[in-house]
């Protein structure tokens, strides 16, 4: 794995086209639209979205909603040509540190067949919380995973 530093910064509406390109190749069955991202950035006061840049090129992104003291990761993806460099790991560390001052727990859904992502989330302390049947479409289930940031146990 080639370790390269990246810059993580808040996503803005100018970033949406680059994010959308990564979205479509990462999630071809149900990509979020450009309008969805613009709505999240401009109208959802619970939303927090960030991009990862390498040499001024967006290589990945992550988003979450924070409601009171709970957070849910809504999306995370790395461009195919940038995968394997630890960028998803760096984004997850960033988001956990971002949440620690005010968030009690973080949840997410992940495709039951996405073994690389599940392994990453487990390495960050996420634990299995159940199955959401057909979450990604007919026959495409998701694991619900949680991590506590307040030191409590499930």
């Amino acid at each position: 794995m080639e370790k390269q530093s990246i810059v993580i910064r808040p996503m803005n509406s100018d970033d949406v086209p680059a994010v959308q390109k990564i979205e479509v190749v990462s999630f071809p069955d149900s990509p979020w639209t450009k309008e969805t991202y613009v709505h999240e950035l401009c109208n959802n006061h619970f939303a927090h979205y960030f991009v990862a840049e390498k040499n001024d090129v967006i290589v990945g992104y992550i988003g979450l909603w924070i409601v009171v003291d709970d957070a849910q990761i809504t999306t995370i993806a790395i461009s195919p040509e940038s995968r394997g460099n630890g960028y998803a790991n760096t984004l997850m560390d960033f988001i956990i540190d971002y949440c620690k001052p005010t968030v009690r727990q973080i949840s997410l859904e992940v495709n039951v067949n996405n073994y690389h992502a599940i392994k990453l989330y487990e390495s960050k302390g996420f634990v299995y919380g159940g199955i959401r049947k057909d979450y990604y479409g007919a026959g495409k289930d998701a694991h619900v995973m949680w991590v506590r940031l307040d030191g409590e146990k499930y």
Side-chain angles (χ1 to χ4, degrees):
M1 178 182 344
E2 178 183 345
K3 285 288 186 182
Q4 297 180 345
S5 63
I6 58 172
V7 173
I8 299 173
R9 63 168 176 76
M11 185 187 298
N12 63 58
S13 57
D14 291 338
D15 300 324
V16 171
V19 166
Q20 184 64 26
K21 283 183 181 179
I22 298 169
E23 176 78 19
V24 169
V25 297
S26 298
F27 308 108
D29 291 337
S30 60
W32 286 22
T33 65
K34 291 177 185 176
E35 293 77 18
T36 301
Y37 279 104
V38 170
H39 173 79
E40 287 291 290
L41 293 171
C42 298
N43 300 316
N44 184 347
H45 302 291
F46 302 113
H48 304 257
Y49 286 82
F50 300 90
V51 293
E53 289 183 321
K54 177 68 180 166
N55 298 326
D56 298 320
V57 174
I58 294 174
V59 297
Y61 58 90
I62 191 167
L64 76 157
W65 294 350
I66 299 175
V67 180
V68 187
D69 60 356
D70 285 328
Q72 171 150 7
I73 295 175
T74 57
T75 190
I76 179 173
I78 304 298
S79 65
E81 60 275 7
S82 299
R83 292 177 188 160
N85 290 306
Y87 299 153
N89 185 65
T90 301
L91 279 170
M92 289 298 295
D93 287 344
F94 172 85
I95 221 66
I96 289 168
D97 288 344
Y98 180 81
C99 289
K100 277 183 180 176
T102 59
V103 169
R104 182 175 50 95
Q105 64 186 1
I106 303 172
S107 65
L108 56 80
E109 287 88 11
V110 57
N111 187 303
V112 297
N113 297 315
N114 191 341
Y115 305 111
H116 291 292
I118 291 168
K119 184 177 175 183
L120 170 64
Y121 304 146
E122 288 174 340
S123 77
K124 301 302 174 192
F126 282 77
V127 296
Y128 174 77
I131 292 275
R132 289 198 196 274
K133 288 287 191 190
D134 302 326
Y135 185 77
Y136 295 108
K140 297 178 183 177
D141 300 340
H143 284 302
V144 178
M145 298 183 78
W146 303 85
V147 65
R148 295 291 298 246
L149 301 180
D150 62 3
E152 296 294 320
K153 300 289 181 201
Y154 288 107

